[in-house]
Amino acid sequence: MGLFENKKAVICGVANERSIAWAIAQHLHREGAELAFTYAGDAFRERVEPLAASLGSKLVLSCDVTKDDEIDAAFERLRDEWGGMDVLVHSLAFANKEELKGRFVDTSREGFMLAMNVSAYSLVALSRRALPLMAGRSGNVLTLSYYGAEKVFPNYNVMGVAKAALESTVQYLAADLGKDGVRVNAISAGPIRTLAAMGIGDFREILNHVQSRSPLNKNVTADEVGKTAVYLCSDLASGVTGEVIHVDAGYHVIGM
Ligand code: NAD
């Protein structure tokens, strides 16, 4: 019997088959989970629907996290279709491309607010709607962060600040939702070639650097992140909340 037999998981953030969210979805499916997917914008709907169908999911819902009415509608639909849910995977972020190159000091007010809104506040907005659906079900919330929350990386700029806010949000939500039996954790993934990552200036340099300096002398795959997601969202991690686990080939332990 799979670890997620009779469990329902909502996956937010699949853009294509390279998405970290897609690797997580595949692993949860393998362990028996029933899945629903959310997407932002019609262009992504066409890509997500066939992927969802390949895992037996027909629930593909529009949910731009900057729009409260879309979030409300998505969770109302989930309540109507499922009655409850067990896992919320938040694997999404956004910053304008011009904020992800050059000097951090040049970050605009609008760019700062947008990155914070999509990449950090959205975890609060989605968790609040998921909470009543997780009542009495040992719920799990999982988000994706990056080491740029803790240390400075060239060009990561405002996204590093947003990820720092996201990791703090994980702790505050964990403290808040523990009494409801809901655990909240993050995976800090090493660099992986995805659509979002390609928006970061000189991303290839980060990949090369991690490959040569990390203890495991490699870059991680989305599949490896998916495996840790199974652990964190399953009963295997029943004593773990408010945690940020690095899945980065050990890169974060290296000083020099
Ligand atoms: P991706 O491009 O496949 O996924 C990003 C997703 O964010 C897309 O599905 C996109 O539609 C969604 N998104 C953007 N704006 C949105 C909005 N307003 N409303 C709803 N969804 C929105 O890239 P990915 O690398 O799989 O990114 C997933 C998560 O992993 C992100 O939080 C990212 O910061 C994080 N992460 C990525 C890496 C990496 O190197 N790829 C490393 C560490 C952490």
Side-chain angles (χ1 to χ4, degrees), residues 13-15 19-20 40 64-65 91-92 144-145 163 189-192 194-196:
V14 174
S19 296
I20 293 172
D64 181 331
V65 296
S91 183
L92 55 92
L144 270 296
S145 190
K163 290 300 192 193
I192 300 170
T194 62
L195 192 64

Side-chain angles (χ1 to χ4, degrees), residues 107-119 158:
T107 305
S108 69
R109 185 185 301 274
E110 295 72 30
F112 191 98
M113 304 290 268
L114 179 64
M116 282 287 185
N117 190 8
V118 176
S119 316
V158 69

Side-chain angles (χ1 to χ4, degrees), residues 71-203:
I71 305 177
D72 285 334
F75 281 87
E76 270 165 35
R77 180 84 191 282
L78 288 166
R79 191 196 55 212
D80 293 347
E81 296 280 341
W82 280 355
M85 60 181 274
D86 304 280
V87 176
L88 171 69
V89 175
H90 172 279
S91 183
L92 55 92
F94 186 80
N96 286 325
K97 212 168 173 177
E98 56 268 27
E99 310 286 2
L100 298 173
K101 60 183 181 204
R103 299 186 69 188
F104 172 65
V105 73
D106 293 328
T107 305
S108 69
R109 185 185 301 274
E110 295 72 30
F112 191 98
M113 304 290 268
L114 179 64
M116 282 287 185
N117 190 8
V118 176
S119 316
Y121 177 72
S122 61
L123 185 66
V124 182
L126 296 181
S127 298
R128 189 165 64 247
R129 270 68 163 210
L131 190 59
L133 296 180
M134 289 177 171
R137 297 172 74 124
S138 311
N140 265 286
V141 175
L142 176 70
T143 187
L144 270 296
S145 190
Y146 180 58
Y147 192 38
E150 303 166 64
K151 301 286 174 188
V152 174
F153 280 77
N155 299 318
Y156 203 57
N157 295 354
V158 69
M159 191 51 80
V161 177
K163 290 300 192 193
L166 179 71
E167 292 188 7
S168 184
T169 299
V170 165
Q171 295 184 333
Y172 275 87
L173 283 174
D176 221 5
L177 307 190
K179 63 178 82 63
D180 302 292
V182 174
R183 297 188 291 108
V184 185
N185 292 292
I187 293 173
S188 182
I192 300 170
R193 206 181 284 274
T194 62
L195 192 64
M198 287 306 143
I200 301 162
D202 296 328
F203 183 71

